[in-house]
Amino acid sequence: MSHYNYLCKSNEIDCWTVFFPVVMAPKTPIKNEPVDLSKQKGCTPERNPITPVKLIDRPQPDPWTPTANLKMLVSAASPDMRDREKKKELFRPIENSEQSDTPDSLQYDIVDDSTVDEFEKQRPSRKQKSLGLLCQKFLARYPSYPLSTEKTTISLDEVASILGVERRRIYDIVNVLESLHLVTRVAKNQYCWHGRHNLSQTLKTLQEVGELQYGELLTFFQHKEQDLEYKFGERKKETIPDSQDRPLLDFSEPDCTSASANSRKDKSLRIMSQKFVMLFLVSKTKTVTLDMAAKILIEETQETVDHSKFKTKVRRLYDIANVLTSLGLIKKVFVTEERGRKPAFRWIGFSGLLNLSNSVIIRQLIILCKGTYQGRICATGKQRFTRHASFNGTQPCEGTRRKVSSEPSSPRQERQDEYCSKMINLEAVFSASCFITSPLSLLPVPGDSDFCVNPLPQAVFPVVQSDVPSLSLPNGISSQAPHPSTSAAVKTENGQPTLLPNQPFLCFPSSSLFMLCGGLQENNSRETLPTTGDVGNRSAEAQAAIPPAVCQKRTSHKCAWPPAPVDDEEPAAKKQTMEQNDVPLSLVVPKKPSESPKAESTPGSGYTSAVHLEDFHLDFASPAAPEAANKGSTKPLDSPGQEKQSQIKDPDEPSPGKEHISKENADQPVLPQYLCVQPTAGLNSFNFLLSASQAPGAISLAASQLPSLSVPCVMVPSVALASIPLVCSPAVTSPLSPVPDGSFSTTASMNFTMSSLASTMPVFIGTTAVVTPNVLPVPSVDPQQPVHPALHLSPVLASSCSAIKLDSPVCMGHPVTLLKLQQPSSTPLTPKSIRPAHHEAFFKTPGSLGDPVAWKKTEGNQTRNASSVQRRLEISSTSPD
DNA sequence: CACTCCCGCCACGGC
DNA sequence: GCCGTGGCGGGAGTG
């Protein structure tokens, strides 16, 4: 494990930075004003993928030598400063006056006798030294969306010097940023800047977790507050959801050393920050008063609250709030109550809440794409696939686990474990999403979804589409209210919402996403919540790594993988718990965790499962997971005993857990054809229709069955996407042509280069032909390839293609480019044809299909060269076994 | 006076 | 013992 961790760590930076395409140079924040990064949306990725736009007024981050920045800054400031730089240590806590936004001379004047008076006059006021301002300065130094290739490391000492503050203050900032995954600690005194690429995902995760943890609690408090009945410490324990101090999202570094690091109350500032954010995300009003937050946060862990503790908590919350304000996530407001005006903070970033359905879908997409994109990455060989720490199953929960381990187990703990496992999964997903998009370079993340300056007025939880029932519908789309744009897109000339019914399309009307492709992987099978056990199952490694978090408490149940029928095997009670947790994640936004049963109960649940799938895969973040998956597919169900062993001993062993699931799923009814997801807060404009029409088997697939989620076509409408290169792949999996183990699964779509596509034109990627709008020939329904409905390349595709005309609503007047994906001239597949072959078979790119061997070779080599971590990520590439 | 929150002491844990 | 971290709360600045 330790070894593993080290590896991860070494790659950690890469993982986070490599895949983020666009860099937006932050503009220098205006003093005293929150930085509104959302304004940076304008930047498009395509603009300059490689060279990030850097702010003029911002110090160049590039030469990241320890002193480079400092020197640069000093030089820029003035000659005198150079000299003074040497002395900086002497005056170190130089007031952090506006270094970045105002003349620096001010701070250094102190030394200058002649200017002393002036200094006095100009002595920075308290406000000028505020943590919020300091944070703005800090943020101004780094791009919000660093290039994927740009590794930005932050030296605390250096930053402290530059900003003229004590390191202690930098810790305050960094801890909060770390809680949101904007930075990651890579070594002592060294942090890696990730920017906001993951912010939306992180927030989503926090929201999800927050709902589980604080949904009721917050409501309770708010009520109390309103009623004024609430008194400090009066709250009944039972009304409050159990929660502990453990880090919900533990972004702590994976390295083993962290284990010890968990002292210090697990870095409470980070945890507190996450929790604080969660409160906003969960709050219906999006407004949280500090005292309320303090009460909630304090009481979580303490039975009684003393005033001093409360005050301290509030102080810390101010610190956090200042940083969050600088990030543009919250703003200070005043709420009036009976007692009068009361300071509070309102969430202004990441508008809206995340629509769980979105996240679910994304996950699904991730899953789908995962294999493909990984393959692609390998194929390109350009990027090193490193995984984020979060990919390590362990990491995410590391802190948690540590902490947990120290704590006595209790029912509460169990629940926590659930959360923990969920978090792990979520985190993995995030990471995965990052990967997915980036490799393809598709996504620019244009719309800083994270920052919505204009919060949606809507209800906090737009659950609309996420209703399970609708999902269950055969044609899920129609049942759900699509986003306006989406619906438009969906409609055909006749105005019928047709796109959907049988058509395999993905619509991305608006901007932000892009990934897709690929078939389902073994992971999919997991629909139920990922419990610790699940996680553990995923891979031995995962377990090894994770164990802490997940296993810890769960140990009782799961640390050891239960044998086969995991699902069944789970104790009812536990299972229930899981369900609760899970459900929310997957489809419904549960107000009450306990109430999201539908998903499971729904017959169409196949769908549900599909949705869930992804969570777990990645969650496992364990590097081994992918491999495990592969293996799993090849292997028969493992015997329980085996599983355990694998957990413990053989990390590489495939996890059997999936199998059960798959089994269950196998029986599931057909999934809905599509999922229509409205864009909601989280993904700001991520709308799409996902074809749900997979063969039952596909969806539920067991690990062995490689699912084929086929997304024959993707429609990307337009302008919004202008800058976004497109994406998607029709994943026509062809069980027929199983690829040798080494080969990566890929979808045809993956093979073509998106770069050329980067146009404003919408692109249709179909399995069949490539048509430019002008030329739009006959929608090619792939004559050659009749797709079997079961496969999803159903006729629908053809029809849909044909149906979609340039002028059709779908096209919305935008030129459409149809890309023909090379498909292996395969014969139509029948559901039966789908076999549990290696999953690789499922993800073939045209190229791979054409020349599996070649692919395999390439991949294989890459794989070999790749770091172990990377390798692990590769789904099918390596040898089984 | 209440609210903010800067400041830095000092504990903790690793090396 | 030093150093990196970061909890913590005194008390100053602000309105």
Side-chain angles (χ1 to χ4, degrees):
Chain A
M1 192 173 184
S2 61
H3 176 65
Y4 168 72
N5 285 332
Y6 280 115
L7 290 175
C8 290
K9 187 163 190 172
S10 63
N11 294 317
E12 186 174 16
I13 293 172
D14 292 337
C15 280
W16 280 91
T17 58
V18 171
F19 303 104
F20 303 118
V22 179
V23 172
M24 309 240 209
K27 76 176 186 178
T28 303
I30 296 170
K31 184 178 178 180
N32 290 329
E33 285 185 6
V35 176
D36 180 356
L37 297 177
S38 63
K39 293 174 183 174
Q40 298 176 7
K41 288 182 179 180
C43 297
T44 60
E46 40 191 357
R47 200 173 284 169
N48 185 349
I50 297 173
T51 306
V53 176
K54 297 193 177 182
L55 293 181
I56 298 170
D57 47 6
R58 178 165 63 84
Q60 244 249 3
D62 245 346
W64 280 105
T65 59
T67 58
N69 276 325
L70 183 58
K71 288 179 182 176
M72 192 181 304
L73 206 84
V74 172
S75 296
S78 75
D80 287 341
M81 292 177 69
R82 286 172 208 154
D83 191 27
R84 289 189 182 145
E85 169 59 13
K86 298 173 184 175
K87 305 174 186 176
K88 66 185 175 189
E89 292 300 335
L90 298 178
F91 332 138
R92 229 274 236 56
I94 294 169
E95 300 298 341
N96 61 335
S97 46
E98 352 306 17
Q99 198 156 3
S100 47
D101 25 328
T102 64
D104 300 311
S105 54
L106 168 59
Q107 5 186 315
Y108 298 91
D109 285 343
I110 301 172
V111 235
D112 220 320
D113 297 346
S114 61
T115 59
V116 172
D117 290 345
E118 222 165 86
F119 172 77
E120 289 299 326
K121 291 179 185 177
Q122 298 180 12
R123 184 178 52 176
S125 66
R126 188 181 171 86
K127 281 187 177 179
Q128 290 177 306
K129 294 188 287 184
S130 72
L131 190 65
L133 187 58
L134 178 62
C135 183
Q136 286 182 24
K137 291 174 184 174
F138 179 93
L139 294 173
R141 304 185 72 254
Y142 310 97
S144 294
Y145 295 92
L147 289 182
S148 59
T149 58
E150 181 181 356
K151 290 182 184 179
T152 302
T153 57
I154 300 170
S155 166
L156 298 186
D157 284 332
E158 181 184 343
V159 173
S161 296
I162 293 170
L163 300 180
V165 297
E166 289 183 70
R167 193 202 272 160
R168 179 71 193 75
R169 301 281 73 76
I170 301 299
Y171 279 124
D172 289 337
I173 293 170
V174 166
N175 284 334
V176 174
L177 296 179
E178 188 174 14
S179 72
L180 297 177
H181 245 159
L182 269 63
V183 300
T184 298
R185 184 175 181 274
V186 294
K188 79 176 180 183
N189 201 27
Q190 292 284 314
Y191 279 79
C192 177
W193 173 258
H194 305 309
R196 299 173 187 247
H197 291 292
N198 302 313
L199 186 56
S200 63
Q201 286 296 336
T202 300
L203 294 176
K204 240 181 265 178
T205 301
L206 289 173
Q207 182 183 13
E208 291 174 347
V209 174
E211 289 179 22
L212 292 174
Q213 280 203 329
Y214 300 108
E216 292 179 21
L217 180 60
L218 194 63
T219 300
F220 172 87
F221 270 84
Q222 290 180 334
H223 280 235
K224 281 289 186 179
E225 297 261 324
Q226 288 181 353
D227 298 344
L228 292 180
E229 293 176 357
Y230 175 81
K231 284 184 181 180
F232 214 41
E234 241 181 35
R235 177 164 53 64
K236 299 172 187 174
K237 216 35 178 183
E238 57 265 33
T239 58
I240 301 170
D242 291 350
S243 61
Q244 293 181 349
D245 250 359
R246 57 194 191 68
L248 297 176
L249 265 182
D250 186 2
F251 298 114
S252 62
E253 63 263 64
D255 58 335
C256 6
T257 59
S258 62
S260 60
N262 105 1
S263 50
R264 283 286 183 176
K265 295 192 174 181
D266 275 331
K267 299 181 181 179
S268 69
L269 195 68
R270 278 191 289 175
I271 297 166
M272 205 188 304
S273 174
Q274 291 179 345
K275 289 179 177 178
F276 188 45
V277 168
M278 276 185 230
L279 293 178
F280 284 104
L281 297 175
V282 173
S283 171
K284 292 175 182 174
T285 60
K286 292 184 180 176
T287 301
V288 176
T289 60
L290 293 181
D291 60 327
M292 183 199 302
K295 289 171 187 171
I296 293 172
L297 298 180
I298 290 172
E299 296 193 18
E300 269 186 350
T301 51
Q302 325 231 337
E303 300 304 312
T304 61
V305 180
D306 65 48
H307 193 62
S308 66
K309 203 126 195 158
F310 178 77
K311 285 180 60 180
T312 295
K313 208 76 173 181
V314 170
R315 279 197 281 258
R316 297 287 80 76
L317 288 174
Y318 272 118
D319 292 340
I320 294 167
N322 283 328
V323 174
L324 294 178
T325 297
S326 294
L327 285 170
L329 296 176
I330 62 173
K331 68 176 181 179
K332 188 174 182 181
V333 298
F334 288 92
V335 296
T336 48
E337 295 183 344
E338 293 77 9
R339 305 176 214 167
R341 216 169 70 144
K342 193 172 177 180
F345 287 89
R346 171 166 297 170
W347 186 256
I348 58 173
F350 200 56
S351 72
L353 303 176
L354 317 168
N355 184 326
L356 290 180
S357 61
N358 279 351
S359 61
V360 169
I361 290 174
I362 290 171
R363 289 178 204 151
Q364 187 166 13
L365 291 175
I366 290 169
I367 291 173
L368 293 175
C369 300
K370 181 175 157 191
T372 301
Y373 84 68
Q374 285 181 348
R376 179 179 176 73
I377 291 171
C378 291
T380 59
K382 286 186 176 182
Q383 302 185 350
R384 250 185 100 100
F385 211 116
T386 22
R387 56 196 255 157
H388 178 280
S390 57
F391 258 108
N392 299 327
T394 55
Q395 290 182 352
C397 288
E398 175 106 356
T400 302
R401 127 182 86 188
R402 279 180 259 147
K403 183 168 189 175
V404 174
S405 61
S406 63
E407 297 174 351
S409 63
S410 64
R412 192 188 202 185
Q413 209 159 19
E414 292 223 317
R415 181 164 185 177
Q416 303 248 339
D417 287 342
E418 299 281 32
Y419 290 135
C420 181
S421 61
K422 180 178 283 185
M423 293 307 298
I424 293 171
N425 293 328
L426 292 174
E427 184 147 17
V429 170
F430 297 146
S431 300
S433 64
C434 294
F435 274 143
I436 291 171
T437 58
S438 326
L440 296 177
S441 315
L442 303 176
L443 247 189
V445 182
D448 200 6
S449 52
D450 313 315
F451 289 90
C452 286
V453 178
N454 306 315
L456 299 179
Q458 55 186 290
V460 175
F461 302 105
V463 183
V464 190
Q465 296 122 350
S466 38
D467 275 350
V468 172
S470 50
L471 292 175
S472 305
L473 296 180
N475 294 323
I477 293 176
S478 56
S479 66
Q480 299 180 0
H483 181 283
S485 60
T486 302
S487 53
V490 175
K491 292 181 180 183
T492 55
E493 294 179 347
N494 47 10
Q496 312 259 342
T498 50
L499 237 182
L500 336 179
N502 292 316
Q503 305 173 354
F505 282 104
L506 284 181
C507 291
F508 296 103
S510 54
S511 49
S512 332
L513 238 153
F514 347 135
M515 33 194 219
L516 325 182
C517 359
L520 294 177
Q521 291 187 350
E522 75 285 6
N523 294 337
N524 309 344
S525 48
R526 206 194 162 73
E527 20 182 85
T528 52
L529 290 190
T531 56
T532 332
D534 290 348
V535 172
N537 284 336
R538 296 255 176 217
S539 68
E541 276 194 39
Q543 285 193 349
I546 295 182
V550 177
C551 293
Q552 240 185 344
K553 276 215 153 167
R554 292 188 151 205
T555 355
S556 41
H557 334 284
K558 291 209 155 184
C559 250
W561 254 106
V566 174
D567 290 344
D568 296 348
E569 50 186 288
E570 299 222 35
K574 178 157 195 167
K575 189 170 184 177
Q576 234 182 352
T577 303
M578 290 175 60
E579 289 180 355
Q580 288 181 355
N581 292 337
D582 291 350
V583 170
L585 280 177
S586 31
L587 300 176
V588 178
V589 177
K591 282 236 159 157
K592 299 180 181 180
S594 56
E595 295 180 349
S596 43
K598 304 171 186 176
E600 299 235 332
S601 58
T602 304
S605 52
Y607 188 68
T608 301
S609 57
V611 171
H612 290 282
L613 334 171
E614 85 237 19
D615 291 353
F616 315 147
H617 279 342
L618 294 180
D619 10 344
F620 291 91
S622 70
E627 292 179 359
N630 283 337
K631 293 176 182 180
S633 62
T634 56
K635 292 183 178 183
L637 295 179
D638 298 5
S639 64
Q642 217 178 350
E643 290 188 354
K644 280 194 172 184
Q645 285 184 350
S646 61
Q647 276 186 359
I648 298 168
K649 298 182 66 175
D650 183 351
D652 292 342
E653 286 291 325
S655 63
K658 316 166 187 177
E659 313 250 332
H660 318 311
I661 294 170
S662 50
K663 249 181 161 184
E664 288 181 355
N665 292 338
D667 297 334
Q668 312 229 351
V670 177
L671 299 179
Q673 284 281 324
Y674 298 90
L675 278 184
C676 178
V677 178
Q678 283 185 353
T680 41
L683 293 176
N684 63 16
S685 15
F686 180 97
N687 299 306
F688 59 82
L689 294 178
L690 177 59
S691 155
S693 64
Q694 304 160 353
I699 292 172
S700 34
L701 1 159
S704 58
Q705 295 180 346
L706 291 186
S708 53
L709 212 189
S710 48
V711 177
C713 295
V714 173
M715 298 197 317
V716 177
S718 57
V719 182
L721 295 180
S723 52
I724 302 173
L726 163 52
V727 171
C728 195
S729 72
V732 174
T733 58
S734 69
L736 298 180
S737 56
V739 175
D741 288 358
S743 64
F744 283 144
S745 59
T746 60
T747 46
S749 62
M750 297 311 281
N751 285 338
F752 62 80
T753 16
M754 303 308 291
S755 60
S756 60
L757 296 178
S759 66
T760 58
M761 296 170 33
V763 178
F764 281 94
I765 299 176
T767 55
T768 52
V770 175
V771 178
T772 56
N774 298 338
V775 185
L776 187 64
V778 178
S780 49
V781 172
D782 222 63
Q784 308 170 355
Q785 269 198 335
V787 178
H788 188 293
L791 290 179
H792 304 291
L793 287 181
S794 58
V796 171
L797 172 59
S799 63
S800 63
C801 290
S802 58
I804 297 170
K805 296 178 181 179
L806 295 180
D807 53 307
S808 67
V810 172
C811 296
M812 300 271 231
H814 295 287
V816 175
T817 300
L818 292 181
L819 296 180
K820 178 175 183 171
L821 298 180
Q822 301 172 2
Q823 279 198 349
S825 54
S826 56
T827 56
L829 301 178
T830 59
K832 286 182 178 181
S833 61
I834 297 171
R835 297 180 181 185
H838 280 310
H839 27 301
E840 308 159 29
F842 293 85
F843 303 100
K844 296 188 175 185
T845 58
S848 65
L849 290 175
D851 182 352
V853 174
W855 260 84
K856 185 171 184 176
K857 266 189 187 175
T858 302
E859 290 179 353
N861 290 338
Q862 289 186 345
T863 301
R864 260 172 248 135
N865 295 334
S867 64
S868 61
V869 172
Q870 183 174 355
R871 265 179 269 135
R872 288 170 189 171
L873 289 178
E874 297 171 358
I875 295 173
S876 55
S877 60
T878 57
S879 61
D881 85 38

